[in-house]
Amino acid sequence: DVKVTQSSRYLVKRTGEKVFLECVQDMDHENMFWYRQDPGLGLRLIYFSYDVKMKEKGDIPEGYSVSREKKERFSLILESASTNQTSMYLCASSFGISTEAFFGQGTRLTVV
Amino acid sequence: QKEVEQDPGPLSVPEGAIVSLNCTYSNSAFQYFMWYRQYSRKGPELLMYTYSSGNKEDGRFTAQVDKSSKYISLFIRDSQPSDSATYLCAMTPMNYGGSQGNLIFGKGTKLSVKP
């Protein structure tokens, strides 16, 4: 079974802090994604990566950056956390030809 | 017009009912269609995956795609309380992959199955 693991289930951070969310997948998938999910807004793509060291902006990249130094690991960085970044963050991965995306369990981030 | 439209519900049905969940879309390039189930405070899990038009059945679940109408459905037979979750549709064009990889999701329909 594909496994996508996010480093934390729940996080509470202060405004202005730099926040790192880590994601690891164990199926040698090429593509990795970071989404945020908010009530009424659905899933919104922040960034995705289709190869090591490659990244592309999604729909809402402002205030975020990403890092992919190894194929299995994709990190989301909140440079200076703000209260409007309080959300559920979901990491996903997929293989290039097989298009299904597999999700991690999510990280519920609260910025106070 | 949004690319993918999905009625957010909530939808409440009695145990044993047949449930119909639907999405419409506007991009005729979409070829791959997926349904995800998401329990409260968990990540979405892939439920069904279909390519192009037609039906696909897996146990109590049937996914249906009508490309001519740009309409997809998920049917749940003999619904159970354990089916209570949010169901998200997702789709992608045939050239998905590499730098163009991007699933388009509906906003999800919240389903509650009452015992």
Side-chain angles (χ1 to χ4, degrees), chain B residues 38 51 98 104 115:
Chain B
Q38 185 176 22
Y51 168 69
I104 309 298

Side-chain angles (χ1 to χ4, degrees), chain A residues 9-10 31 33 35 37 40-43 45 48 50 56 88 90 94-96 98-106, chain B residues 32 34 36 38 40-46 49 86 88 92-94 96-103 105-107:
Chain A
R9 288 294 309 277
Y10 300 96
N31 303 320
F33 309 84
Y35 294 87
Q37 187 176 35
L41 298 177
L43 281 163
L45 182 65
F48 69 99
Y50 54 92
E56 286 205 19
M88 172 73 128
L90 290 160
S94 71
F95 185 63
S98 172
T99 62
E100 313 99 295
F102 297 89
F103 284 85
Q105 75 277 31
Chain B
Y32 295 93
M34 283 142 269
Y36 287 82
Q38 185 176 22
S40 182
R41 296 187 175 84
K42 297 285 179 68
E45 57 178 324
L46 183 67
Y49 166 64
T86 296
L88 301 107
T92 187
M94 196 167 190
Y96 174 92
S99 62
Q100 297 173 23
N102 193 359
L103 284 174
F105 285 88
K107 290 186 178 180

Side-chain angles (χ1 to χ4, degrees), chain A residues 2-55:
Chain A
V2 174
K3 192 156 187 185
V4 180
T5 303
Q6 294 182 229
S7 53
S8 304
R9 288 294 309 277
Y10 300 96
L11 273 179
V12 180
K13 296 292 181 180
R14 295 194 181 279
T15 302
E17 274 193 80
K18 191 168 186 175
V19 181
F20 292 86
L21 302 182
E22 306 285 341
C23 176
V24 177
Q25 52 96 359
D26 66 358
M27 283 301 290
D28 203 33
H29 282 173
E30 296 169 354
N31 303 320
M32 296 189 76
F33 309 84
W34 276 106
Y35 294 87
R36 63 177 283 177
Q37 187 176 35
D38 301 286
L41 298 177
L43 281 163
R44 291 182 292 168
L45 182 65
I46 304 171
Y47 267 97
F48 69 99
S49 169
Y50 54 92
D51 201 352
V52 175
K53 296 191 187 293
M54 306 301 285
K55 61 186 179 185

